[in-house]
Amino acid sequence: MSPDESVGVAIIGLGRYALAQIMPAFAAARGCHIAALVSGNAGKAKRVAAAYGLDEDRIYNYENFGDIASDDRVDAVYIILPTGLHADWAEKAFAAEKHVLCEKPMALSATECERMIAASERAGRKLMIGYRCHFEPYNLRAMELMREKALGDLRLIRTAHQYRTGMATPAENWRLNRALAGGGPLEDYGLYGLQASLYLTGETPESLSAYTLQPKNDPRFQEIFAHASTQLRFPSGAVAQLATSYDSFGMNAVSARGAKGALVMEPATSYSGNAMVLQTYGARETLTPGTSSVQFAQQLSHFAKAVRENAVIRTPGEMGLRDIRLIEAIYKAAASGRTLALNADATLKD
């Protein structure tokens, strides 16, 4: 594919995830390339640009970002910043008439998500959320098995996404800072479990209940919750039990149980090395649908194709909005101690 056909992407934010996962994946992605960098650290940006063979005129900072509007080498941006910055930078990118791929979670609130969607529509540009598991072979196979009713009628989903974060304060780790990260592990690691419950059932829950814990006298949890657990009930009658924590021995697992069998994934949503076992009466099969690490390149390829061909996006802004509405409902349910009823669009019933 010629440079004119390939989608040029500016990376906004040069943190660990961008450097270790996303940027290397461009080598295997189809139809896109890194066209520019946006960073507040000039020295780091120069080093990264040199590593990727980018001239220094392809480096922008947070003050001169508006100049990117006249850079025809850049067709889109990938926002890889703390969550609290997503909405503002998406709006700036759309104002520059660039397409946007934004890391998950989409934003801190449903209101911010709606702002992002409105900005996308005004600009006539694409908005995609970086839900990588929708491009990961094990999770894609799990979705297929659910559509094929390999387990019979689905009854129960259990997810666990947890680890113990190191000692730090909100000033030292943005994930512990409510203004940048939201309520805690639910938006970050726990979002994988929430997403899994939605794409395995193929439904939006009709009601939910929840519990959160914020330990006292722990500097890590001055502003955020340490744990969140949720129970979702779906229109089909299936139930999902979700647990996530920043203060628990590590686990990354999803299991689905139906009338005829069970699907167990552990690890379920990792960057690489995911595993899957299908159990039915009298049979147990280890499934190996692919290499987990392709998810990053596949996500980039999908975004590039959507931009080039004006195709439908698999993980659009509306999906991100739905999930943030559910997270807001989970926190309200936990605060009230009640089970809350939901509409089909994940808003709360009156």
Side-chain angles (χ1 to χ4, degrees), residues 88-104:
D88 287 347
W89 281 95
E91 288 182 316
K92 291 177 182 180
F94 287 129
E97 298 188 336
K98 308 302 181 184
H99 301 276
V100 172
L101 173 53
C102 180
E103 252 315 304
K104 66 83 188 167

Side-chain angles (χ1 to χ4, degrees), residues 75 117 123 129 146 158 161 184 220 223 226 242-243 309 340:
D75 304 296
I117 293 170
I129 309 305
M146 296 307 106
R158 286 197 175 107
H161 288 83
R220 297 171 297 173
E223 299 183 7
L242 321 178
E309 302 179 8
L340 302 182

Side-chain angles (χ1 to χ4, degrees), residues 33-326:
H33 63 278
I34 298 171
L37 307 176
V38 183
S39 173
N41 186 326
K44 185 178 190 179
K46 287 181 180 180
R47 292 192 298 273
V48 175
Y52 280 86
L54 299 174
D55 295 334
E56 288 193 15
D57 71 338
R58 292 175 180 264
I59 299 174
Y60 292 87
N61 57 49
Y62 299 132
E63 286 70 44
N64 69 6
F65 176 77
D67 295 342
I68 211 168
S70 60
D71 192 338
D72 293 336
R73 300 169 300 185
V74 176
D75 304 296
V77 305
Y78 192 159
I79 300 172
I80 315 178
L81 295 169
T83 310
L85 305 176
H86 288 181
D88 287 347
W89 281 95
E91 288 182 316
K92 291 177 182 180
F94 287 129
E97 298 188 336
K98 308 302 181 184
H99 301 276
V100 172
L101 173 53
C102 180
E103 252 315 304
K104 66 83 188 167
M106 183 173 173
L108 291 181
S109 68
T111 299
E112 289 187 345
C113 294
E114 290 164 353
R115 279 173 44 199
M116 294 166 70
I117 293 170
S120 169
E121 292 172 348
R122 286 195 304 270
R125 296 295 187 270
K126 298 288 186 183
L127 172 58
M128 176 172 161
I129 309 305
Y131 284 134
R132 57 182 175 79
C133 290
H134 286 260
F135 305 92
E136 192 278 321
Y138 285 81
N139 283 274
L140 287 172
R141 182 62 182 135
M143 296 177 209
E144 290 176 350
L145 290 168
M146 296 307 106
R147 290 194 295 269
E148 295 166 2
K149 287 195 171 291
L151 309 182
D153 291 334
L154 195 56
R155 303 301 189 203
L156 176 65
I157 293 173
R158 286 197 175 107
T159 75
H161 288 83
Q162 52 212 44
Y163 67 90
R164 193 166 193 269
T165 191
M167 282 297 170
T169 66
E172 296 167 327
N173 183 343
W174 71 264
R175 286 184 171 83
L176 307 178
N177 184 315
R178 181 172 288 273
L180 292 175
L186 177 59
E187 287 93 326
D188 179 26
Y189 206 23
L191 184 52
Y192 293 112
L194 177 61
Q195 269 264 309
S197 74
L198 300 172
Y199 57 65
L200 293 181
T201 60
E203 299 179 283
T204 300
E206 61 182 12
S207 65
L208 59 81
S209 57
Y211 169 78
T212 55
L213 175 64
Q214 187 173 11
K216 296 180 179 179
N217 303 318
D218 189 320
R220 297 171 297 173
F221 306 116
Q222 299 172 44
E223 299 183 7
I224 67 165
F225 299 111
H227 314 277
S229 60
T230 307
Q231 180 161 294
L232 310 175
R233 181 176 177 84
F234 293 90
S236 64
V239 172
Q241 298 171 342
L242 321 178
T244 187
S245 176
Y246 275 165
D247 195 31
S248 178
F249 190 77
M251 190 172 187
N252 180 324
V254 173
S255 67
R257 295 183 178 274
K260 298 180 180 179
L263 185 70
V264 179
M265 301 169 66
E266 188 176 358
T269 60
S270 291
Y271 295 163
S272 61
N274 291 324
M276 174 186 290
V277 174
L278 175 63
Q279 297 174 282
T280 55
Y281 292 107
R284 184 180 189 277
E285 182 181 6
T286 299
L287 304 179
T288 54
T291 302
S292 300
S293 58
V294 303
Q295 61 192 291
F296 303 102
Q298 297 285 24
Q299 175 179 269
L300 292 168
S301 299
H302 176 78
F303 178 61
K305 182 176 181 180
V307 169
R308 291 195 320 272
E309 302 179 8
N310 193 27
V312 174
I313 285 178
R314 191 181 301 172
T315 57
E318 289 76 10
M319 180 181 287
L321 169 60
R322 174 203 64 186
D323 295 350
I324 296 303
R325 284 174 174 167
L326 288 172

